[in-house]
Amino acid sequence: KAEDPNSAGRQMPGHFGSKRLRIVTGSSPVTTQVPHAVGIALSAKMRKQKLVSFVTFGEGSSNQGDFHEGCNFAGVHKLPVILFCENNQYAISVPLHKQVSGRIADRAIGYGFPGYQVDGNDPLEVYRVVKEARARAVAGEGPTLIEAMMYRLSPHSTSDNDLAYRTKEEVDENRAKDGIPKYKQYLMECGLWSDRQDEELHKKLKALLDDATSYGDKAPFQAPEDILLHVYDEGQGEGGGR
C-alpha cells in the first residue's frame, strides 16, 4: 500500500523496518543484507560512533558470496558488526547435510574473528553470547559470528508443501523443543510470569494485529502514475535528471 514506510508497497511484505528503532529494511535478493550491515558498521567506525550493527540470515545464505565478502571485509577492518545465523536445518527445502559442510560458526576462523554455536532455543544462552559479542564490538575488537541452532517449524512460505521433504513426526519432535513455550515455563517457575499476564498479553497483541490488519485492508493502493516515484533521481543539473 502507498503508506508502507519502507518502499510504498514495492517490496515483499516481510521486509519491514523502522527508523525509530534503527531497523533497516532488507532488500529482496537473498543475503544482500550482510554487506549492507557491514557497510553500516564501517560508517559507524569512521564516524567514531558507539554503534553496533546486527544482521540475521539463514544457514542457506551463509553459502553465498555476499556472506563471505561481508565477513572478509568486516574481519579486515575489525568492524563493529554481529553476524547472526539462524540455522533452521532447511534452506527452503534442502536439508542441512546437503548444503553445509562442517559448522557455520567455524567459518569465522578463516576471517580472523570468533565464531560461536549456541542453542537457539535457549533465550538466555543466546542473550549471553550476543551481549559478549556486542561488548567486543564496542571495545573495537571487531565482528563476531553466532550460529544459533534452530528448527523451522512452519513451511518456508504459504506455497510450500513442507511435508514433501520432511515428516510430520520430525516437525512435532522439534516443536516440543521450541524455545518460546520453554522460556515461558521457566519464567513461571521463577515467579516472573503468570497465566493471567499471558492471557492479557495475547489479548493485547490480537487487538493490535486486528486493528493493523483492518487499517491495512482499507488503506489506498499506490497510484499507478506514482510507480516510478523515488526510483529515478528527479533532480536537475549536473548528475540529476533521469
Side-chain angles (χ1 to χ4, degrees):
K1 297 298 181 74
E3 291 183 63
D4 167 24
N6 303 303
S7 64
R10 291 176 174 83
Q11 285 209 77
M12 295 171 64
H15 301 154
F16 294 132
S18 169
K19 287 185 178 180
R20 180 176 63 85
L21 298 175
R22 308 184 85 174
I23 299 174
V24 179
T25 177
S27 60
S28 298
V30 176
T31 326
T32 53
Q33 72 270 21
V34 173
H36 292 168
V38 170
I40 291 171
L42 174 64
S43 172
K45 184 173 183 178
M46 293 174 67
R47 297 179 183 183
K48 294 181 170 42
Q49 297 173 312
K50 291 293 183 181
L51 179 152
V52 179
S53 179
F54 180 92
V55 61
T56 63
F57 49 92
E59 79 284 355
S61 293
S62 71
N63 301 319
Q64 296 194 194
D66 295 81
F67 166 77
H68 294 281
E69 291 178 23
C71 284
N72 185 63
F73 194 88
V76 168
H77 297 282
K78 290 189 177 299
L79 299 180
V81 58
I82 299 172
L83 302 128
F84 192 94
C85 175
E86 183 180 330
N87 191 330
N88 288 314
Q89 312 298 311
Y90 287 96
I92 303 184
S93 60
V94 183
L96 184 64
H97 71 275
K98 290 187 177 181
Q99 54 166 315
V100 174
S101 176
R103 303 193 327 163
I104 293 168
D106 292 339
R107 296 178 177 181
I109 298 172
Y111 298 114
F113 54 85
Y116 302 97
Q117 188 182 81
V118 298
D119 179 3
N121 288 316
D122 185 343
L124 295 177
E125 178 68 5
V126 172
Y127 174 79
R128 180 186 66 80
V129 176
V130 171
K131 184 179 180 180
E132 291 176 358
R134 183 186 181 279
R136 285 191 68 255
V138 171
E141 297 176 18
T144 302
L145 172 61
I146 301 171
E147 178 186 11
M149 304 306 294
M150 308 279 289
Y151 187 84
R152 174 165 56 78
L153 296 172
S154 61
H156 173 72
S157 65
T158 54
S159 61
D160 175 33
N161 176 19
D162 62 317
L163 295 183
Y165 53 84
R166 62 182 182 178
T167 65
K168 182 178 182 300
E169 289 73 22
E170 178 183 312
V171 177
D172 290 342
E173 179 184 348
N174 281 277
R175 193 179 300 279
K177 303 174 184 177
D178 185 8
I180 295 177
K182 285 172 63 179
Y183 189 54
K184 170 186 166 182
Q185 184 62 35
Y186 168 80
L187 292 175
M188 286 183 166
E189 291 172 356
C190 293
L192 300 172
W193 197 246
S194 66
D195 287 328
R196 179 184 59 78
Q197 289 173 295
D198 201 62
E199 184 178 351
E200 290 177 355
L201 178 62
H202 277 79
K203 285 182 179 179
K204 180 181 178 180
L205 292 175
K206 185 178 186 304
L208 286 170
L209 289 169
D210 287 345
D211 289 345
T213 301
S214 177
Y215 184 90
D217 285 340
K218 296 174 183 177
F221 286 97
Q222 183 173 195
E225 60 269 22
D226 293 337
I227 192 64
L228 297 181
L229 195 63
H230 307 307
V231 175
Y232 297 101
D233 180 7
E234 300 293 339
Q236 301 297 319
E238 185 178 351
R242 292 177 182 266

